[in-house]
Amino acid sequence: MRLFHTSDWHLGQTLHGQERDFEHACFLDWLLGQLKLRQPDALLIAGDVFDTVNPPVKAQERLYDFIVQAHEQQPGLTIVMIAGNHDSGSRIELPAALMRRLRTHALGRVQWLDDGELDAERLLVPLTNAKGKVHGWCLALPFLRPAEVTGALLGDDYLRGIAQVHEKLIAAALAKREPKQALIAISHAHMAGGSVSEDSERSLIIGNAEALPASLFGSEIGYVALGHLHKPQQVNGEERIRYCGSPIPLSFSEINYPHQILEIEFKGASLVSVESRRVPRAVALQRVGPAPLVEVLAQLGELAEPDLLDDPQRQPWLEVRVQLDEPQPDLRQQIETALQGKAVRLVRIAAEYAGRATGEGDDDERLMELSQLRPEDLFARAWEQSYGSIADERTLADFALLLQEVQQEEEPA
């Protein structure tokens, strides 16, 4: 049995106001080609399919067009797609009945039966080979929000609620599988020890709670296809527990990530191999600086001029980082003048001001843009400004829970 593992497409994402639809279209075309070439039995999409809970229509069209094309060229392909923390679980599941006719299973939420037991049956997807024989089971674990795993029957401990879901689903899978059938989990979560990018991954950790331990996935699980972290990596060095990473760089901090999908091979219940397939980069992300303004302007002047035969949509996105001693009112004008006739598209200018932080010796204070701050950062700053003290862990935990509830309310009914 052969599987493709991908995640964190973030369809509909914008980069400092610039849409990425062309890049996503190029990735999906490439992925269709890989499906045709390698003929996997299943495609696993581990969450954050969309960038927001209310994605633009074009982003939704991209997803559904891809699913239809994938099914038309490979009718036996099984697709398993789960919701991530950026997704609306309700929206992911909304067309589920139609998608099942295309052998696509869309899981956005966990549900509980009247007796308090997990509805595990809907989270277990049979994985068949080219001959239609069940060779494994996929345990689908969408991003688990507090409201789904806590309550009167489940208790108030969020992490314990998550553990209960894993325990019950794994027990149901073990009861269902037959000899030589593999168990493959697909999950959207922050696992302990994972490496996070600087500014494009929304935190999943509530208050002072730790990231999830890899021990949630016992040795009976042959492979764990993870989503959320955009940098490809193994968890605790385990070959079978992996983040494949995002297919395109979602911020300038991800320029050097090896964007990829993973091809997984099973023989019976045993994992045989995990192979990386690098995604061609349709549009480069390019940084100039940080450096003093004079040096930055000189570097911009050395950038290449456009070739008339090149597609303008493939011109790199450019971030310019300038070190200043004092404000420059015409900073943007100077940079845009230097970029005239250059084969780049400017999307961001970041100014860093030299100065002394109170009581911190020679450390630099840096001017941060609002977009670089997470909601919890803004809350902490506002609290300190209002009350003259740093918010304690309980207060931060309460705010994080409130934020989760607000984000969930944004989802369509």
Side-chain angles (χ1 to χ4, degrees), residues 371-388:
S371 61
Q372 294 176 271
L373 295 173
R374 302 172 301 166
E376 50 266 44
D377 297 328
L378 292 171
F379 174 78
R381 290 185 177 207
W383 181 279
E384 185 172 1
Q385 184 176 5
S386 298
Y387 300 107

Side-chain angles (χ1 to χ4, degrees), residues 110-120 148-155 161 164-165 168-169:
V110 298
Q111 295 179 6
W112 300 87
L113 304 175
D114 292 340
D115 60 1
E117 283 300 308
L118 177 71
D119 186 356
E148 297 175 24
V149 296
T150 60
L153 297 176
L154 302 170
Q164 287 187 69
V165 171
K168 293 177 182 295
L169 184 57

Side-chain angles (χ1 to χ4, degrees), residues 21-43:
D21 182 65
F22 173 75
E23 293 160 89
H24 280 123
C26 290
F27 161 64
L28 294 176
D29 285 345
W30 174 85
L31 181 55
L32 282 170
Q34 291 297 305
L35 290 170
K36 185 175 183 179
L37 175 67
R38 301 297 299 168
Q39 293 289 305
D41 301 298
L43 170 66

Side-chain angles (χ1 to χ4, degrees), residues 184 296 396 409:
I184 293 98
V296 165
L396 293 174
E409 288 174 0

Side-chain angles (χ1 to χ4, degrees), residues 14 21 24 34 62 74 132 159 164 171 182 211 235 269 335 350-352 377 390 409:
T14 60
D21 182 65
H24 280 123
Q34 291 297 305
R62 284 284 177 216
Q74 191 180 345
L159 292 182
Q164 287 187 69
V235 175
I335 290 174
E352 300 178 358
D377 297 328
I390 298 174
E409 288 174 0

